Amino acid sequence: MSRDTARAATQFFGGRVCLDFANTLDWRTSDDPQELVPDYAALLSWSERRGTLPDAASRKLRPRAASNEAAAVMQTAYALRRDIWTIADRLRAGHAAELRLVNRMLSVAPRQPELVRQDRGYRHALAGTDINEPLWPVLWSLTALLASDDAKRVGCCEAQGCGWFFVDESPNRTRLWCSSEVCGNRERARRAYAKRKGVS
């Protein structure tokens, strides 16, 4: 993650949509966390960058970004994000996930639609008719993660103040950072400085 919120909002180190969504609070465990999706318009922009909504769906939803219903969606989004944090923390500690909010959301979400090809990638064929649509791919990603062996590979960046989650796909499950080039370099420099100064 980066102290530049515009840059951080384009960094996807989680390896799964749901974990990248969990990482939309930059410097999550610091004293000064930075919100990367402060409103519905930002959520749509994040969905476009992450490739979870077709362009046409995003264009249809954008005029509704200032509505009261969009504000309500953001409250649900933040609740889902907090749930993903809790679930990810429990998984990496070897505990069972708490599924109440997830299952409640699944009970009202539609079945996953067919896929469409876009920009050399694939998207769910969401139509842009339901204002909750940006949250559905996050929810589907979370259920896929929980139902797979990847649930045993969830890790959290060990850099001071970061708190970003990822699926550790390293052979020996030894990944320490959300990004070796970003947090890894910063943390190595911090630790080297602290060692020189005799501070932990």
Side-chain angles (χ1 to χ4, degrees):
M1 35 53 116
S2 169
R3 274 295 183 193
D4 177 351
T5 54
R7 182 182 179 196
T10 66
Q11 294 175 327
F12 302 117
F13 300 141
R16 303 295 181 273
V17 167
C18 59
L19 298 183
D20 284 331
F21 185 68
N23 298 341
T24 56
L25 190 68
D26 201 14
W27 295 89
R28 181 177 68 89
T29 58
S30 75
D31 293 332
D32 186 27
Q34 303 293 311
E35 180 59 70
L36 303 180
V37 285
D39 52 36
Y40 189 81
L43 176 62
L44 287 176
S45 295
W46 181 87
S47 300
E48 292 167 1
R49 289 190 299 271
R50 188 57 178 84
T52 57
L53 273 182
D55 292 344
S58 185
R59 285 194 299 270
K60 287 181 181 178
L61 290 169
R62 195 164 289 279
R64 302 167 69 180
S67 66
N68 289 336
E69 56 182 350
V73 171
M74 292 309 300
Q75 294 310 305
T76 303
Y78 296 144
L80 174 59
R81 187 173 65 180
R82 287 191 299 270
D83 246 42
I84 297 172
W85 295 340
T86 300
I87 287 169
D89 274 329
R90 290 186 64 81
L91 290 176
R92 68 194 188 98
H95 301 310
E98 173 54 64
L99 301 176
R100 280 180 297 181
L101 176 63
V102 173
N103 283 331
R104 188 162 64 247
M105 291 185 68
L106 281 172
S107 71
V108 296
R111 293 175 54 191
Q112 293 187 49
E114 62 184 18
L115 296 173
V116 294
R117 185 168 173 79
Q118 178 181 301
D119 299 330
R120 293 175 294 176
Y122 300 92
R123 310 283 185 270
H124 289 104
L126 296 167
T129 55
D130 191 306
I131 200 165
N132 294 286
E133 285 179 23
L135 301 184
W136 295 342
V138 175
L139 185 62
W140 295 329
S141 170
L142 179 59
T143 59
L145 173 67
L146 288 168
S148 74
D149 288 340
D150 290 339
K152 301 173 185 176
R153 290 181 170 269
V154 173
C156 187
C157 184
E158 294 186 11
Q160 190 176 67
C162 178
W164 276 17
F165 293 104
F166 52 80
V167 171
D168 184 354
E169 298 181 285
S170 63
N172 297 317
R173 304 188 188 184
T174 54
R175 181 175 171 182
L176 299 176
W177 327 112
C178 61
S179 167
S180 182
E181 293 75 21
V182 182
C183 272
N185 284 343
R186 183 187 298 114
E187 188 66 9
R188 285 187 286 267
R190 187 193 70 80
R191 292 179 182 181
Y193 177 80
K195 186 176 181 180
R196 289 196 302 272
K197 295 294 184 180
V199 179
S200 60

